[in-house]
């Protein structure tokens, strides 16, 4: 027999969606916030020569490297050098550092584990402060690099550097605030939706570029069809893996309650294959973007003799290069295990099962249960890390064969599919909550009518 939640889900339709006014407000707020973000990607920083910078970005001696990925995550803001060019990259990097420190720095570890809601707010405040520091450092590096390039700036000097730092840092802080507002008042995770919107905005241009290459004869029709089939297969594979889970049977013992036996129920503990979600590739990309963005800007400038190694390093960190793929894959695997250890604690789960009388058949409650959960979770994380690494590195191998003129991002597809699935799930949960509240109200009204209605008397 279907559960109440399954029955509610089966009854969801456009009629129930039309009645969910609160969901309408949340969706409208989310769309307006993303529209504001897209408008900001077209506002250039003061003093930049947009046309000259576009030519510089599109053909800097054939070495665009990792700026392609940065441009895709920012929704094309990098190639226009807009006020949102940094996007939320400093915020993501700050989140990485705070989470790492929360695992190794005792005061922050105590704040995270024992601080409760106030501790979480305090760590979020530290993340915001660190975001400002990282945004200032990154924007200063970009401003100095742009100032050193002839022809890109109308009036080079300290004033341009100062205005660029203020503009880029202010843009990042505004996007951080906007993402938090979307999370609180909209639908879905605001930071993830901002990255999602940037990728979706750039994808049509990527498809048009591929069609143009095929029309000009620089790409065969067979390769174009192969890329289309590969993209569809990747989407199907991502959906399958994101929904895959290991369900552990949990048994509750029977107990005597008066003259009858109660308990003895069975339930399942679902463990996802990819517990970390889309966080590992985003974190890995952010850590690679931080040092290489400034390196890309300064590699073509007049460098002293002791920095002659910088152009070589920049070239090795381009798409399709062995060093880039090794670092990218290693960071993805590391963050898969790291973020899984943060989001799921086997010891806490085993202790909660013991408190409520639940146990895994054949395994002792307590320490043995925690060890078994850790064993299963580690094996699942190995599969999940291999899956995410394969999805993200396969396009890099293609770039190595086809050249940097085409960037087909597995990371971007993974982010788009995962964020879409999470947002749809949140919309469905909002609809379920709305239907559940409606059923409760109807039940209360019926109960009041049955108790308070006068009984008619025949005469």
């Amino acid at each position: 027999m279907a559960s109440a939640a399954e029955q509610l889900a089966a009854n969801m339709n456009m009629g129930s969606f039309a009645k969910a006014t609160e969901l309408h407000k949340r969706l409208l707020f989310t769309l307006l916030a993303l529209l504001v973000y897209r408008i900001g990607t077209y506002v250039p920083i003061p003093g930049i020569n947009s046309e000259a910078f576009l030519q510089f970005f599109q053909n800097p001696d054939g070495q665009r490297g990792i700026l392609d990925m940065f441009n895709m995550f920012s929704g094309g803001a990098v190639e226009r050098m807009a006020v949102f060019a940094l996007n939320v990259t400093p915020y993501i990097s700050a989140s990485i550092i705070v989470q790492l420190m929360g695992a190794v720095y005792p005061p922050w570890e105590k704040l995270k584990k024992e601080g409760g809601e106030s501790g979480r707010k305090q760590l979020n405040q530290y993340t915001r402060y660190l975001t400002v520091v990282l945004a200032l450092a990154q924007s200063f590096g970009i401003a100095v690099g742009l100032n050193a390039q002839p022809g890109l700036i109308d009036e080079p000097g300290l004033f341009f550097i100062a205005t660029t730092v203020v503009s880029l840092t202010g843009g990042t802080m505004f996007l951080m605030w906007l993402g938090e507002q979307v999370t609180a008042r909209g639908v879905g995770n605001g930071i993830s939706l901002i990255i999602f919107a940037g990728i979706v905005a750039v994808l049509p241009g990527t498809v048009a570029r591929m069609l143009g290459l095929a029309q000009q004869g620089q790409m065969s029709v067979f390769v174009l069809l192969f890329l289309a089939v590969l993209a569809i297969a990747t989407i199907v594979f991502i959906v399958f893996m994101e929904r895959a889970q290991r369900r552990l049977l949990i048994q509750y013992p029977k107990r005597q309650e008066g003259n009858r036996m109660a308990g003895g129920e069975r339930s399942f503990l679902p463990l996802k294959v990819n517990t970390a979600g889309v966080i590992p590739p985003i974190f890995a990309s952010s850590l690679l973007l931080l040092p290489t963005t400034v390196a890309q800007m300064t590699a073509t400038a007049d460098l002293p003799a002791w920095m002659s190694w910088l152009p070589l390093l920049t070239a090795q960190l381009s798409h399709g290069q062995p060093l880039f793929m090794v670092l990218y894959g290693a960071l993805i695997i590391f963050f898969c295990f790291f973020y899984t250890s943060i989001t799921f604690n086997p010891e806490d789960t085993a202790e909660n099962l013991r408190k409520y009388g639940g146990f895994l058949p054949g395994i002792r409650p307590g320490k043995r249960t925690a060890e078994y959960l850790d064993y299963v979770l580690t094996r699942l994380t190995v599969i999940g890390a291999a899956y995410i690494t394969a999805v993200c590195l396969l396009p890099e191998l293609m770039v190595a064969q086809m050249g940097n003129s085409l960037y087909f991002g597995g990371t971007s597809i993974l982010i788009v599919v995962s964020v879409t699935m999470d947002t749809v799930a949140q919309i469905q949960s909002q609809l379920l909550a709305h239907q559940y509240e409606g059923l409760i109200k109807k039940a209360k009204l019926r109960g009041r009518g049955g108790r308070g209605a006068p009984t008619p008397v025949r005469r």
Side-chain angles (χ1 to χ4, degrees), residues 87-110:
N87 209 325
V88 291
T89 304
Y91 176 78
I92 296 173
S93 302
S95 301
I96 298 172
I97 297 174
V98 170
Q99 290 185 13
L100 287 173
M101 293 295 293
V104 298
Y105 185 53
W108 287 12
E109 184 179 6
K110 182 179 180 180

Side-chain angles (χ1 to χ4, degrees), residues 290-404:
L290 264 175
T292 54
T293 301
V294 179
Q296 285 279 1
M297 290 294 182
T298 59
T300 56
D302 295 332
L303 299 175
W306 61 276
M307 292 187 64
S308 59
W309 50 268
L310 186 59
L312 179 61
L313 177 63
T314 303
Q316 290 299 317
L317 287 175
S318 300
H319 285 298
Q321 297 298 323
L323 180 60
F324 175 81
M325 288 189 286
V326 169
L327 290 177
Y328 194 34
L331 287 173
I332 289 175
I333 294 173
F334 168 75
F335 281 117
C336 280
F337 283 91
F338 173 74
Y339 201 76
T340 300
S341 66
I342 291 178
T343 55
F344 186 90
N345 191 326
E347 295 180 358
D348 291 345
T349 304
E351 182 63 22
N352 291 332
L353 286 176
R354 188 186 63 82
K355 287 181 179 179
Y356 291 100
F359 64 92
L360 299 175
I363 301 175
R364 291 182 179 179
K367 182 179 179 181
R368 294 295 183 185
T369 300
E371 292 176 352
Y372 180 75
L373 290 176
D374 182 68
Y375 169 73
V376 174
L377 190 64
T378 301
R379 297 177 66 186
L380 291 176
T381 306
V382 170
I383 300 174
Y387 137 69
I388 296 180
T389 305
V391 169
C392 295
L393 289 188
L394 178 61
E396 301 301 331
L397 297 175
M398 295 177 57
V399 168
Q401 299 295 326
M402 303 178 63
N404 288 340

Side-chain angles (χ1 to χ4, degrees), residues 136-150 152-153 156-158 160-162 164-165 168 294 297-298 301:
L136 287 172
Q138 199 168 353
S139 59
F140 178 77
I142 293 176
V144 172
L146 289 174
N147 192 69
Q149 299 295 328
L152 296 184
I153 312 303
L158 292 177
F160 169 77
I161 294 177
T164 300
V165 169
L168 294 179
V294 179
M297 290 294 182
T298 59

Side-chain angles (χ1 to χ4, degrees), residues 119-252:
R120 186 185 65 83
K121 290 181 178 180
Q122 188 66 34
L123 289 177
N124 288 340
Q125 196 66 20
Y126 292 156
T127 303
R128 296 186 185 100
Y129 294 151
L130 187 57
T131 301
V132 176
V133 175
L134 293 178
L136 287 172
Q138 199 168 353
S139 59
F140 178 77
I142 293 176
V144 172
L146 289 174
N147 192 69
Q149 299 295 328
L152 296 184
I153 312 303
D154 295 332
E155 296 182 3
L158 292 177
F159 182 75
F160 169 77
I161 294 177
T163 55
T164 300
V165 169
V166 171
S167 300
L168 294 179
T169 303
T172 295
M173 299 310 296
F174 176 78
L175 286 182
M176 182 186 69
W177 174 82
L178 189 65
E180 292 177 351
Q181 295 301 310
V182 170
T183 303
R185 303 181 182 181
V187 177
N189 184 282
I191 301 297
S192 298
L193 283 174
I194 288 175
I195 300 175
F196 166 85
I199 295 174
V200 170
V202 175
L203 281 180
T206 304
V207 175
R209 189 194 312 173
M210 289 193 296
L211 294 176
L213 292 176
Q215 186 177 7
Q216 297 171 7
Q218 301 180 14
M219 178 187 297
S220 65
V221 178
F222 174 77
V223 174
L224 186 62
L225 292 176
F226 172 75
L227 292 176
V229 172
L230 180 62
I232 296 174
T234 302
I235 293 173
V236 173
F237 180 61
I238 291 173
V239 172
F240 173 78
M241 293 299 294
E242 291 298 322
R243 291 185 176 273
Q245 57 183 224
R246 171 77 183 275
R247 302 177 70 189
L248 299 179
L249 177 64
I250 299 177
Q251 181 74 45
Y252 291 92

Side-chain angles (χ1 to χ4, degrees), residues 388-444:
I388 296 180
T389 305
V391 169
C392 295
L393 289 188
L394 178 61
E396 301 301 331
L397 297 175
M398 295 177 57
V399 168
Q401 299 295 326
M402 303 178 63
N404 288 340
S405 59
L406 175 64
Y407 178 60
F408 180 76
T411 305
S412 59
I413 295 178
L414 177 65
I415 293 174
V416 168
V417 175
S418 300
V419 174
T420 301
M421 293 175 61
D422 292 341
T423 306
V424 170
Q426 291 203 24
I427 292 175
Q428 290 178 345
S429 65
Q430 293 273 351
L431 286 175
L432 281 173
H434 174 74
Q435 283 191 309
Y436 187 67
E437 291 176 359
L439 290 177
I440 292 177
K441 290 180 180 179
K442 289 181 180 179
K444 288 182 178 180

Side-chain angles (χ1 to χ4, degrees), residues 14-34:
M14 292 303 297
S16 60
F17 177 79
K19 297 177 181 178
T21 56
E22 179 65 23
L23 179 59
H24 297 168
K25 295 178 181 179
R26 288 181 171 272
L27 288 174
L28 181 60
F29 182 84
T30 303
L31 292 175
L32 290 177
L34 295 180

